[in-house]
Amino acid sequence: MPDNNALIVGISGVSCTGKTTLARLLRDIFPNTFILHEDDFYKTDAEIPINHEAGDLADWDCLEAINLSTFEETLRFIKKNGLPPPDLVSKEDKNSVGPVDVDQDVIDELEWKAGRWMFRDVPPIAIIDGFLLYSEEMKAIRDLIDVKLFLRTGYATAKTRRERRSGYVTLEGFWEDPPGYVDKVVWPNYVKDHGFLFKDGNVEGELQHDVVDNSDIKPMPDGAQEDMTAMLRWASAIVNDALEQKK
């Protein structure tokens, strides 16, 4: 028998690493799977903190922008009941996702392999995607996540991808990044919140494997950083292994 009512899979990393794309692919591959987005727990637009060091910009990429108590309560509900709260409505699903560069044959192959779980006594899968799941300040939430996938990319790639986006649906409207937002807000916050995972705090350098292992975080292989097919194979294998342990 499974030892809880949901397998919670986290997908985290800096903005524009493919978290939501990977989450949606895994949802389509594994039976009895749903997605929860950290972005659905943003505070109201008026409550988003102002980053004075960045020129008084609204800071959507910090811990204080998230309603942490509601987020944690929701994860505990999922852990206990195996499904999201009935009143949860996702605004993140209204945001666009670019074209997926994964061969359909690979998706079909992985879906076929995962199909064996349809009739096994394993818990449903809840995939949580978000830019800030594994920081030390998020430990209470991090500890609720069974499988912690960590996606990486470099500053130049993150900046290019983020600046291509048209904007984001919010609780009360629509947000477009002002000029320089990646340099002033997104990347500095990523470094501050994730530097502890890397040697000398260099988030484009080598991981501190003892810290990563102690936190039970699964970093993506170096070769998968710009290859969604490799990323999907890696993530799918880890989820399959986790389900094996839940049988």
Side-chain angles (χ1 to χ4, degrees), residues 2-127:
D3 58 9
N4 62 23
N5 290 323
L7 176 73
I8 298 184
V9 176
I11 303 176
S12 195
V14 69
S15 178
C16 300
T17 45
K19 298 181 295 294
T20 301
T21 300
L22 179 60
R24 292 177 180 178
L25 286 167
L26 291 173
R27 177 192 59 192
D28 293 343
I29 286 169
F30 286 90
N32 200 13
T33 298
F34 61 92
I35 299 176
L36 187 74
H37 305 281
E38 186 178 28
D39 286 7
D40 288 324
F41 297 91
Y42 272 124
K43 295 177 181 177
T44 65
D45 293 22
E47 294 175 302
I48 298 301
I50 300 300
N51 189 325
H52 299 294
E53 293 181 2
D56 294 336
L57 293 174
D59 191 340
W60 293 85
D61 286 71
C62 67
L63 187 75
E64 294 77 16
I66 304 295
N67 189 328
L68 295 178
S69 60
T70 302
F71 190 19
E72 182 176 345
E73 289 169 8
T74 301
L75 290 184
R76 292 190 183 280
F77 181 95
I78 291 170
K79 202 83 163 172
K80 179 180 178 181
N81 298 284
L83 73 171
D87 58 346
L88 180 66
V89 177
S90 175
K91 63 174 174 27
E92 170 61 23
D93 279 337
K94 298 176 184 178
N95 287 317
S96 63
V97 174
V100 179
D101 188 20
V102 179
D103 192 303
Q104 185 61 44
D105 288 342
V106 173
I107 296 174
D108 292 344
E109 172 201 335
L110 296 175
E111 186 176 0
W112 179 81
K113 289 179 178 178
R116 64 196 173 104
W117 300 115
M118 188 174 297
F119 304 107
R120 300 284 188 90
D121 190 15
V122 294
I125 301 171
I127 299 176

Side-chain angles (χ1 to χ4, degrees), residues 148-220:
K148 305 174 186 70
L149 306 178
F150 183 47
L151 310 190
R152 301 173 57 192
T153 196
Y155 159 77
T157 299
K159 178 179 171 70
T160 298
R161 290 175 178 174
R162 177 86 178 217
E163 292 180 347
R164 283 177 183 162
R165 288 191 172 179
S166 58
Y168 302 85
V169 175
T170 71
L171 279 176
E172 300 165 314
F174 191 78
W175 164 264
E176 294 182 68
D177 289 348
Y181 195 74
V182 172
D183 293 318
K184 295 176 182 178
V185 176
V186 176
W187 194 258
N189 281 353
Y190 172 63
V191 173
K192 174 174 67 71
D193 292 320
H194 297 86
F196 78 102
L197 295 172
F198 297 83
K199 290 185 177 180
D200 301 320
N202 177 11
V203 297
E204 295 191 80
E206 187 177 350
L207 288 159
Q208 293 205 89
H209 292 286
D210 56 338
V211 176
V212 170
D213 292 344
N214 288 336
S215 302
D216 201 24
I217 292 171
K218 312 292 186 187
M220 67 190 299

Side-chain angles (χ1 to χ4, degrees), residues 38 63 66 68 71 132-143:
E38 186 178 28
L63 187 75
I66 304 295
L68 295 178
F71 190 19
L132 186 58
L133 297 179
Y134 306 148
S135 75
E136 292 289 71
E137 292 78 10
M138 295 282 284
K139 188 175 186 306
I141 286 173
R142 187 177 74 200
D143 288 347

